[in-house]
Amino acid sequence: MAFLEKSIRNKPALRVALLYALLSILLSRTPLFNYLGYEFSAVIGIATGLLAGLLAISLFRQRGAEIASASRREFLSLTVYSLGLNELLLLIPCVLISLNALMVKNCSFANGFAFFLLIPMITAVFATALGVWTAVWFRRAVFWYVLIFLLVLIHPVYLTLSSPQLYAYNFFFGYFPGFTYDEVLTITPSLLLSRGSTLIVALTLLCLALPVFQHSSLAEGFPGRLKALRHLFERRPESFVAIAGLLLLALAYGFRNELGLESSASFIQKQLGTVYSTQHFRIYYSSNQIPSDQIRWIAAEHEFRYAQVSRILHTNVNRKIDSYIYPTPEIKQRLIGAKTTNIAKPHRREIHLNYDSFESSFRHELVHVLAAQFGMPILRIAPNPGLIEGLAVAVDWDAGDRTPHQVAAAILRFGPVGDIRDLFSFTGFATKPSSVSYLLSGSFCRYLLDEYGRKRFTALYRSGQFEKVYREPLPKLIEEWKEFLRSVKLPPTDEARAKLLFARPSIFSKVCARTIADINENATKLLREKKYPEAASAFQRSYALSKNREAKLGLINAGFLLKRYDTVIAAIHATLEDTASAQSFVGLKLILADCYWILGREEDAEVLYKELRALDVHRTYSEAAAVRLESLSYPKIGGPMKRYLETAGEDSTRKLILEEILAGDPNVAIVPYLLAKLNVRQRDYKNALENIQLLRKPFRDPLLNFELEKTAGLCFFHLKEFQNAKVHLWQSLNYTMNEADVNYIEDLIEYCDWLDDHRDWIE
């Protein structure tokens, strides 16, 4: 009670309390920071780092002048009082943000409270110790404390600029996960180790402050206080604690890479194990994951894309680019802090990619590195993410089975996009769904490149000043671009495609984003491991916490794999009857139709397959619907095909079923098609071609003919028969008028010609 009364009368403490309250109220009105979780704790941790230290200095100086003797007891009394008051003050943000749960849902209070304990509460210990240390050692304690605070705060900036890693551990805010699209963020052993190290540093600082407090005074000046440090080595507990603390910290620093606290380039290279050098690249990879013949293909694609992108941008590099290819997303997350997000660091000439997404991401990330030649100083990028990512999309020019212009036109026509100018600010770009931000900015940047030329755009990329470069304000340029997009022809069904892009909001718009992402990731893992009941239970928990799309899709997929077809049908009908969200779940019609077919309702299934094929909302759904419609034209194979549908994701079982059908009737054309597709997934290109050769006449659906010829072209491509590959790729163009398909095929033909001239890369 006396402690509370004394604290309430303390004016510096009251000022700190007020600042905590104001900051907490501000955060409670900010999405993602408005509930007790990592983000809130990290911001409060920074505030605590400053306020707790300054309060400790104030209390130490104020009460230190009143004490009769500079004894160990008085030192401990002052320190404990300062620490107790700082920890007590942290109840203010903790209580206020907890009360905010009455208005903003918090799906895991326990996890959020754990972050609060690990970050602000431990930061208060460190800041108090640092404040006591500076109060004892320096006359101008506030100046030195603020200076140290700023240095510690900006250390992660230096770390992430000078090394490949995106993440950083810090004494004040605990942990920075990096700017990625990975939403899962949990308490890891490395975070626990980092916060434990923070406590050791705090204890060591106090041990280094105690002898100076006892055997010197501020009047003596710094040399006198430094001289007083010799008393530390007298036989007393604090000397052993200080020495042990320094040794532990030295060990932690020496093994910081191994402990997961940092990741230097040399450490990552050692972990991956192998390097392959080309004219313009050093490719670091795991030879256990990527065999020698495969790395030659990867190296060839590096050089082909380099020639392609550098020709478009008119750039060249004066030293090799480091390309890191990680065996699994989990290894990439451990080493650089990004799991599913592929990244480039233009100022370091680095690209970091997952092996399983190399082909789809490499050219995009390469644009970032080659654009560094005309980027801003130091970071070598544009001033805002809209230009950074927009240029990469504009050059890569891949948005699946539509061009970015077509997708952008659909978004503007059917979606609530808001002010396009927001794309060229950090917060505006980040707060929109990522697919929307990327494709809109990519289409706009491509328009500027085509309409005004490369030279002007490179000047814009460096400065970000639209009006200075184009002599037109940004709103006028946006209106010009919108007018151009109005001339882009769109099928009426593209409204559903646009709605799908908005179905995945940004992390700032999600409820309990971190918690839900963690549950969904674990549930998806259980689904891959064929633990269907456990996966369904996890998705159910996620959906109960937040009515999120991923959990609903996961629940329906788990139900289908558990063969609960009636339940799945009821769930899909309920979902599609909700007009507000039906279009974002249009792909569920495929599962619904599969359920109908399996249950013997072939006519109902056929209606839905035709509807989905006509919508053409996504190539995956369109091809699947076309395959099923073709299969329905062979009634005799109905039984085996139902078993085929039931074994989703089990390639070995599906292969046996298809071979059984083919043995009974070699004239069922869709079976060789499906076998060839399966062979390609398994990199069995020769057998894929053998299956394709079994087909005697074209399919009724041109999409299947396009996919068939494209697949044959890809098989010959991988077998290094580039002229045959080009023949089939050209033939595929007879079956499509889709501009995106044409772009893809022409790019692949260009790659065939390049490899034909550079066979030494892959021989």
Side-chain angles (χ1 to χ4, degrees):
M1 185 65 69
F3 175 79
L4 286 174
E5 290 177 359
K6 189 185 299 183
S7 302
I8 292 171
R9 292 198 302 268
N10 190 292
K11 290 184 179 179
L14 291 174
R15 286 194 288 267
V16 170
L18 178 61
L19 290 171
Y20 275 140
L22 292 173
L23 179 59
S24 300
I25 292 169
L26 176 63
L27 292 175
S28 72
R29 300 293 180 266
T30 307
L32 192 62
F33 298 85
N34 55 359
Y35 60 91
L36 189 60
Y38 161 74
E39 281 78 12
F40 178 82
S41 295
V43 174
I44 295 298
I46 295 173
T48 301
L50 181 62
L51 299 176
L54 294 178
L55 181 58
I57 292 171
S58 173
L59 295 173
F60 224 83
R61 288 285 173 86
Q62 177 185 331
R63 295 195 64 208
E66 301 171 358
I67 63 174
S69 63
S71 63
R72 180 188 286 107
R73 180 179 177 183
E74 291 294 344
F75 178 86
L76 293 175
S77 175
L78 285 169
T79 301
V80 169
Y81 176 74
S82 300
L83 178 59
L85 184 54
N86 275 318
E87 296 289 2
L88 179 66
L89 287 167
L90 281 174
L91 288 175
I92 295 171
C94 186
V95 169
L96 287 176
I97 203 65
S98 298
L99 290 174
N100 202 49
L102 297 173
M103 294 180 288
V104 178
K105 191 166 187 176
N106 186 341
C107 297
S108 180
F109 182 83
N111 192 60
F113 189 67
F115 271 119
F116 196 83
L117 287 175
L118 282 171
I119 300 178
M121 300 291 279
I122 289 180
T123 296
V125 177
F126 173 76
T128 300
L130 183 61
V132 169
W133 182 78
T134 52
V136 169
W137 275 80
F138 301 103
R139 287 180 180 173
R140 299 174 63 194
V142 171
F143 168 80
W144 284 105
Y145 185 90
V146 172
L147 179 62
I148 294 169
F149 170 80
L150 293 174
L151 290 174
V152 171
L153 204 58
I154 65 173
H155 175 254
V157 177
Y158 163 77
L159 197 62
T160 54
L161 286 177
S162 62
S163 65
Q165 68 187 70
L166 296 177
Y167 70 92
Y169 293 95
N170 186 266
F171 291 139
F172 293 129
F173 54 76
Y175 175 67
F176 172 63
F179 295 112
T180 76
Y181 289 101
D182 300 333
E183 294 181 0
V184 177
L185 183 60
T186 58
I187 294 171
T188 62
S190 294
L191 177 58
L192 295 174
L193 179 63
S194 170
R195 300 315 280 166
S197 300
T198 302
L199 291 175
I200 292 173
V201 173
L203 189 58
T204 304
L205 286 171
L206 291 174
C207 290
L208 294 175
L210 176 54
V212 178
F213 176 80
Q214 288 182 277
H215 301 285
S216 71
S217 67
L218 291 176
E220 292 184 55
F222 185 79
R225 291 190 289 281
L226 187 62
K227 189 176 179 181
L229 191 60
R230 72 182 188 276
H231 294 283
L232 174 66
F233 301 101
E234 297 173 359
R235 296 181 63 85
R236 55 180 63 190
E238 58 267 21
S239 62
F240 294 108
V241 172
I243 292 170
L246 290 171
L247 287 174
L248 286 172
L249 293 170
L251 283 171
Y253 183 78
F255 291 94
R256 62 194 183 279
N257 287 292
E258 290 77 7
L259 294 172
L261 300 176
E262 291 185 18
S263 293
S264 65
S266 59
F267 176 74
I268 295 173
Q269 292 161 15
K270 184 179 178 181
Q271 291 293 300
L272 292 176
T274 314
V275 60
Y276 190 100
S277 292
T278 70
Q279 181 181 354
H280 297 102
F281 296 91
R282 282 187 297 266
I283 305 170
Y284 298 98
Y285 69 102
S286 170
S287 56
N288 295 327
Q289 176 76 18
I290 307 175
S292 57
D293 59 332
Q294 184 64 22
I295 196 62
R296 288 195 290 272
W297 281 92
I298 290 174
E301 182 155 358
H302 273 70
E303 288 296 335
F304 169 64
R305 295 303 180 192
Y306 176 88
Q308 195 178 54
V309 175
S310 61
R311 182 179 69 246
I312 295 170
L313 297 180
H314 291 223
T315 56
N316 204 351
V317 293
N318 53 18
R319 65 179 177 86
K320 291 187 177 184
I321 298 167
D322 290 326
S323 178
Y324 295 82
I325 301 178
Y326 298 86
T328 65
E330 290 74 20
I331 290 175
K332 180 155 144 285
Q333 183 180 43
R334 176 170 60 84
L335 292 176
I336 67 167
K339 188 174 185 179
T340 57
T341 307
N342 294 311
I343 63 127
K345 286 200 166 186
H347 67 287
R348 290 180 54 82
R349 292 185 175 88
E350 287 178 356
I351 297 172
H352 298 267
L353 301 166
N354 289 322
Y355 175 51
D356 60 4
S357 57
F358 163 77
E359 291 183 2
S360 61
S361 302
F362 176 68
R363 179 165 52 179
H364 181 103
E365 302 304 333
L366 180 61
V367 174
H368 292 319
V369 175
L370 293 183
Q373 187 168 322
F374 47 81
M376 295 188 304
I378 304 177
L379 292 180
R380 315 302 297 170
I381 55 177
N384 63 70
L387 290 174
I388 297 169
E389 300 300 343
L391 175 62
V393 172
V395 175
D396 186 31
W397 208 237
D398 180 15
D401 55 342
R402 294 287 191 273
T403 69
H405 278 332
Q406 290 172 327
V407 179
I411 291 172
L412 290 176
R413 198 168 302 177
F414 303 116
V417 296
D419 193 339
I420 299 297
R421 290 177 296 179
D422 292 342
L423 292 173
F424 303 98
S425 66
F426 177 80
T427 53
F429 189 92
T431 52
K432 293 183 186 296
S434 59
S435 53
V436 172
S437 295
Y438 274 67
L439 290 168
L440 287 178
S441 59
S443 172
F444 181 64
C445 289
R446 181 66 174 248
Y447 170 78
L448 294 179
L449 280 164
D450 291 342
E451 187 71 17
Y452 295 98
R454 177 191 56 82
K455 287 186 177 180
R456 283 196 183 185
F457 190 87
T458 55
L460 172 69
Y461 192 84
R462 184 181 183 87
S463 67
Q465 299 179 17
F466 288 89
E467 191 163 3
K468 181 178 179 181
V469 172
Y470 292 104
R471 304 287 188 253
E472 297 282 1
L474 178 57
K476 179 76 181 306
L477 294 169
I478 290 172
E479 285 305 314
E480 289 181 12
W481 165 65
K482 286 182 177 180
E483 184 63 32
F484 161 75
L485 290 181
R486 291 187 187 101
S487 66
V488 175
K489 293 183 179 179
L490 294 177
T493 55
D494 269 19
E495 180 176 1
R497 182 183 296 267
K499 299 293 184 185
L500 274 177
L501 293 174
F502 285 94
R504 296 178 179 175
S506 76
I507 190 172
F508 295 96
S509 304
K510 294 183 178 180
V511 176
C512 304
R514 303 292 189 187
T515 302
I516 296 302
D518 185 35
I519 298 173
N520 287 344
E521 183 181 75
N522 290 330
T524 303
K525 182 181 177 182
L526 290 169
L527 212 57
R528 287 197 301 267
E529 295 171 351
K530 301 181 183 178
K531 298 177 180 178
Y532 303 137
E534 295 89 339
S537 177
F539 280 125
Q540 182 62 56
R541 185 161 65 94
S542 171
Y543 193 72
L545 290 172
S546 165
K547 309 297 183 188
N548 64 96
R549 181 175 182 271
E550 292 77 10
K552 175 166 280 192
L553 292 174
L555 266 172
I556 290 172
N557 277 313
F560 181 85
L561 293 167
L562 286 166
K563 301 183 181 181
R564 298 171 181 168
Y565 303 121
D566 290 330
T567 302
V568 169
I569 289 171
I572 294 176
H573 274 302
T575 301
L576 296 179
E577 285 169 5
D578 182 356
T579 56
S581 61
Q583 286 185 312
S584 65
F585 286 100
V586 68
L588 289 179
K589 291 183 177 181
L590 181 66
I591 298 178
L592 179 59
D594 286 350
C595 289
Y596 284 155
W597 191 3
I598 291 168
L599 293 175
R601 298 169 58 180
E602 285 85 354
E603 292 183 1
D604 291 334
E606 186 175 7
V607 169
L608 277 173
Y609 290 141
K610 287 180 178 178
E611 184 180 331
L612 193 58
R613 178 66 186 94
L615 278 174
D616 194 26
V617 72
H618 192 281
R619 179 55 51 86
T620 300
Y621 300 139
S622 297
E623 185 186 3
V627 164
R628 285 154 172 77
L629 287 168
E630 183 72 24
S631 301
L632 282 169
S633 66
Y634 297 92
K636 292 181 180 180
I637 68 169
M641 284 305 297
K642 289 177 184 179
R643 286 192 285 120
Y644 176 89
L645 294 177
E646 289 178 317
T647 56
E650 300 180 25
D651 281 355
S652 57
T653 305
R654 284 189 156 188
K655 185 177 180 181
L656 291 174
I657 294 170
L658 292 171
E659 287 174 345
E660 174 192 326
I661 298 172
L662 196 61
D665 186 352
N667 296 317
V668 181
I670 198 61
V671 174
Y673 175 93
L674 290 172
L675 279 170
K677 285 280 190 173
L678 193 151
N679 292 144
V680 169
R681 283 201 301 274
Q682 298 173 337
R683 299 181 186 274
D684 185 0
Y685 303 112
K686 288 185 179 180
N687 276 326
L689 285 172
E690 288 178 6
N691 280 307
I692 290 172
Q693 289 166 3
L694 294 174
L695 298 170
R696 303 301 179 194
K697 60 181 182 180
F699 292 108
R700 290 171 298 175
D701 193 322
L703 174 58
L704 295 179
N705 294 316
F706 170 76
E707 288 292 331
L708 184 68
E709 293 294 345
K710 184 183 77 173
T711 300
L714 286 170
C715 289
F716 281 116
F717 173 84
H718 287 288
L719 293 171
K720 305 173 189 176
E721 298 182 32
F722 299 117
Q723 294 307 314
N724 284 333
K726 287 167 60 178
V727 168
H728 284 278
L729 292 173
W730 278 322
Q731 288 176 353
S732 73
L733 295 176
N734 294 325
Y735 299 104
T736 183
M737 298 292 289
N738 185 308
E739 186 181 346
D741 288 340
V742 173
N743 291 341
Y744 172 82
I745 295 299
E746 288 179 347
D747 178 73
L748 199 50
I749 290 172
E750 182 185 348
Y751 194 12
C752 287
D753 288 333
W754 189 91
L755 281 173
D756 218 7
D757 294 336
H758 298 82
R759 282 185 172 269
D760 53 314
W761 282 107
I762 53 175
E763 297 294 346

